[in-house]
Amino acid sequence: MVCALSALLHSLLLFGYGAAVDVDPSSKESLKRAASTIAAELRSSYHGDEPGQIPGLFPYPTYWWLAGAATNAWIDYRNYTGDTTYDEIVTQAIFHQIGPNRDFLPPNQTLAEGNDDQGFWALAAMSAAERNFPDLPAGQPQWLALAQGALHGQMERWDDENCGGGLRWQIFAFNHGYTYKNSISNGIFFQLNARLARYTKNDTYAQWAEKTFQWMRKIQFMDDTLNIYDGGNLPACAFVKNSTILWSYNNAMLLGGAAFMYDYYNKSPVWLEIIKGLLSKAISSFFYQEAIVNEPACEPYNTCNDDQISFKGYLSRNLGYTAQLVPELSARIFSVLRTSAVAAGKACTGGSGTTCGMNWTLGKFDGHSGVGGTIAALETITSCLAKDASLPSAMNTGATSIGDVNAGRTSSSGHKTKIDPATQNDKVAAAALTLGICVSA
Ligand SMILES: *[C@@H]1O[C@H](CO)[C@@H](O)[C@H](O)[C@H]1NC(C)=O
Ligand SMILES: *[C@@H]1O[C@H](CO)[C@@H](O)[C@H](O)[C@H]1NC(C)=O
Ligand SMILES: *[C@@H]1O[C@H](CO)[C@@H](O)[C@H](O)[C@H]1NC(C)=O
Ligand SMILES: *[C@@H]1O[C@H](CO)[C@@H](O)[C@H](O)[C@H]1NC(C)=O
Ligand SMILES: *[C@@H]1O[C@H](CO)[C@@H](O)[C@H](O)[C@H]1NC(C)=O
């Protein structure tokens, strides 16, 4: 009787919501099926491979960096599920956006591209290298060299003159935000260095990662209890209005990067303590009732933009990496990822049946559709599969992507393209929204 009733309710639910995304997190097949549904949902909003469209871009109002994040989500998805459906569009997208210096600074993005935006694409290239995603043919840029290209340019932009170090948010002086240093730019820089150290075994990268982490602590972007604030204004990197907001993706980048450092240093107890601290902070700050990943700075107020809706996806992604690299924490991590994946499934029932919402605590679609929510759901469901995935590869463990120690070395010069004031304001406003800080464009 009970079974019959629940079967009936189940089918009514399926009927009522069309193609609902049912997630049984204890079943690998169920997780794969759900991930594949959301990966296809993300694909349905992408048109960059169609005639007349630009590869690597989603239609307005989805910004360039979010396309880099989506690419990364497809790459990790492919590795965790074995589904190669998106190989061609992913390769084409990355290849089109590498820019003339092969460092993810395409001239079209100059008016809005910050170190963080560039960083999201570099992270995608890094994932492609670590996950043995098929490289472009010899003679073409390789994933590893592309990640290095972006990172080496960022090293050249490290700024000791202000606040004792760190990257500025913006790359180009004519962009608003050039006088702001922020945690996401520096957090991605930290993580890329940590991953390149582990991949190449070149200690220079590890030293940069250490230096970045120490600087973020010293300047109090990361406080004594491991809260990570958005950023601060030059000259002193002082906090200003809204810049003490805690966003989940900042915790994400530091946590994931720390996990790679832990592995690079052969299970360093020092990094383990940091990881445990960041993990506890992630769960207490960014998981509703310690069970459903969310963005407390904007979700409860219904004020998240599409960029911000995606942030919690990067937390899920990095929790997956951390569970892989620090197995003793995996039970705790998968416990919160699984409850979140179930909640995401229930929220991905809008539109034609698989559109994902923003607030996953409601048990249903909440009306907020967009690429950001789709990425967040894809990352969260996919990351549950990290449990059975192989470790990210490195040069001594089967990695095949070829690097270039000189990649991107001169990237900070030579990109001074003409500014069109009409498009500048729009793009700058868009970029500011990404971080929820107020700049008057
Ligand atoms: C830059 O914009 C032009 C004109 O829209 C387009 O043809 C080209 O593909 C774009 N390049 C990139 C890297 O997005
Ligand atoms: C996932 O990545 C690992 C590490 O690079 C690799 O060994 C494995 O073959 C990949 N799996 C798939 C399905 O691509
Ligand atoms: C290690 O990395 C640094 C920074 O990219 C580079 O300058 C140096 O040449 C690399 N060393 C080796 C041995 O590859
Ligand atoms: C989700 O929406 C409900 C109802 O509006 C609200 O009470 C709750 O705070 C929201 N949850 C989160 C995590 O924002
Ligand atoms: C930033 O502050 C303003 C006003 O103080 C507020 O309306 C806005 O919601 C804040 N932004 C975020 C992302 O919380």
Side-chain angles (χ1 to χ4, degrees):
M1 179 61 202
V2 174
C3 291
L5 185 61
S6 80
L8 179 67
L9 284 174
H10 186 75
S11 64
L12 280 176
L13 206 69
L14 281 178
F15 188 70
Y17 285 106
V21 183
D22 250 335
V23 181
D24 170 3
S26 63
S27 154
K28 202 170 150 182
E29 286 317 309
S30 168
L31 285 166
K32 278 192 186 179
R33 216 165 28 241
S36 135
T37 303
I38 309 300
E41 171 71 22
L42 184 59
R43 174 70 178 97
S44 73
S45 8
Y46 180 73
H47 304 284
D49 57 325
E50 292 167 15
Q53 304 286 323
I54 301 178
L57 295 186
F58 281 84
Y60 183 87
T62 300
Y63 298 112
W64 182 75
W65 78 270
L66 210 47
T71 306
N72 200 336
W74 271 319
I75 290 167
D76 289 348
Y77 161 81
R78 175 200 201 268
N79 191 257
Y80 293 176
T81 63
D83 178 3
T84 57
T85 306
Y86 307 105
D87 284 14
E88 206 174 313
I89 57 164
V90 163
T91 306
Q92 185 197 38
I94 299 182
F95 187 57
H96 198 76
Q97 295 301 328
I98 58 178
N101 201 35
R102 299 180 167 186
D103 55 2
F104 297 111
L105 288 177
N108 287 358
Q109 301 303 326
T110 307
L111 297 175
E113 187 176 342
N115 285 303
D116 48 356
D117 304 293
Q118 182 192 32
F120 271 95
W121 281 91
L123 289 171
M126 194 68 220
S127 280
E130 287 168 349
R131 302 293 180 184
N132 292 12
F133 190 91
D135 247 302
L136 292 166
Q140 300 284 354
Q142 308 287 292
W143 307 133
L144 182 65
L146 291 172
Q148 286 173 311
L151 185 67
H152 294 162
Q154 296 195 345
M155 285 173 177
E156 290 179 359
R157 292 194 292 276
W158 180 269
D159 168 37
D160 279 320
E161 307 294 308
N162 300 281
C163 325
L167 290 175
R168 295 166 184 257
W169 173 23
Q170 290 299 314
I171 297 171
F172 302 102
F174 51 71
N175 282 334
H176 290 275
Y178 188 66
T179 55
Y180 189 72
K181 291 191 179 180
N182 61 356
S183 290
I184 191 62
S185 297
N186 287 284
I188 295 175
F189 182 70
F190 164 72
Q191 179 170 131
L192 278 170
N193 272 300
R195 290 168 74 171
L196 275 161
R198 178 180 174 278
Y199 189 105
T200 65
K201 306 287 175 267
N202 178 338
D203 198 62
T204 307
Y205 293 117
Q207 289 161 25
W208 272 102
E210 293 265 5
K211 175 163 138 171
T212 308
F213 191 90
Q214 297 304 342
W215 176 77
M216 287 182 73
R217 283 285 295 118
K218 191 161 173 231
I219 204 79
Q220 290 291 305
F221 281 6
M222 188 183 342
D223 74 12
D224 297 349
T225 68
L226 302 182
N227 283 316
I228 303 167
Y229 303 104
D230 188 81
N233 261 348
L234 267 50
C237 281
F239 293 135
V240 289
K241 186 178 150 206
N242 277 1
S243 84
T244 52
I245 293 177
L246 307 172
W247 295 109
S248 61
Y249 71 166
N250 288 318
N251 179 291
M253 294 305 162
L254 273 295
L255 175 64
F260 281 87
M261 292 298 272
Y262 168 78
D263 194 66
Y264 174 73
Y265 287 122
N266 206 4
K267 308 200 183 306
S268 143
V270 174
W271 283 101
L272 182 60
E273 284 315 301
I274 292 168
I275 293 164
K276 284 181 178 168
L278 286 167
L279 174 60
S280 294
K281 184 59 80 172
I283 294 175
S284 63
S285 298
F286 304 112
F287 280 79
Y288 179 76
Q289 295 181 345
E290 306 214 337
I292 300 177
V293 69
N294 79 113
E295 202 60 57
C298 60
E299 273 185 40
Y301 317 105
N302 248 313
T303 54
C304 305
N305 61 37
D306 198 43
D307 288 346
Q308 293 159 352
I309 291 175
S310 77
F311 290 175
K312 62 187 174 203
Y314 318 123
L315 181 53
S316 297
R317 176 201 291 179
N318 281 281
L319 285 167
Y321 295 169
T322 305
Q324 283 202 290
L325 293 163
V326 195
E328 67 180 277
L329 300 178
S330 69
R332 189 166 179 218
I333 290 173
F334 286 122
S335 154
V336 296
L337 278 179
R338 286 170 165 196
T339 43
S340 298
V342 171
K346 289 179 178 155
C348 292
T349 49
S352 56
T354 54
T355 297
C356 300
M358 166 184 76
N359 178 338
W360 299 347
T361 70
L362 306 171
K364 59 174 195 206
F365 177 63
D366 70 354
H368 286 268
S369 55
V371 171
T374 312
I375 292 175
L378 179 57
E379 292 277 11
T380 301
I381 295 169
T382 300
S383 292
C384 293
L385 289 161
K387 188 168 182 300
D388 298 307
S390 342
L391 282 179
S393 60
M395 271 172 174
N396 57 343
T397 59
T400 52
S401 195
I402 306 209
D404 174 2
V405 288
N406 294 315
R409 292 291 183 199
T410 54
S411 64
S412 37
S413 59
H415 285 280
K416 309 258 188 270
T417 51
K418 273 201 220 115
I419 304 168
D420 171 8
T423 58
Q424 189 189 15
N425 282 349
D426 181 45
K427 288 195 177 180
V428 166
L433 275 175
T434 303
L435 293 168
I437 64 158
C438 286
V439 298
S440 43

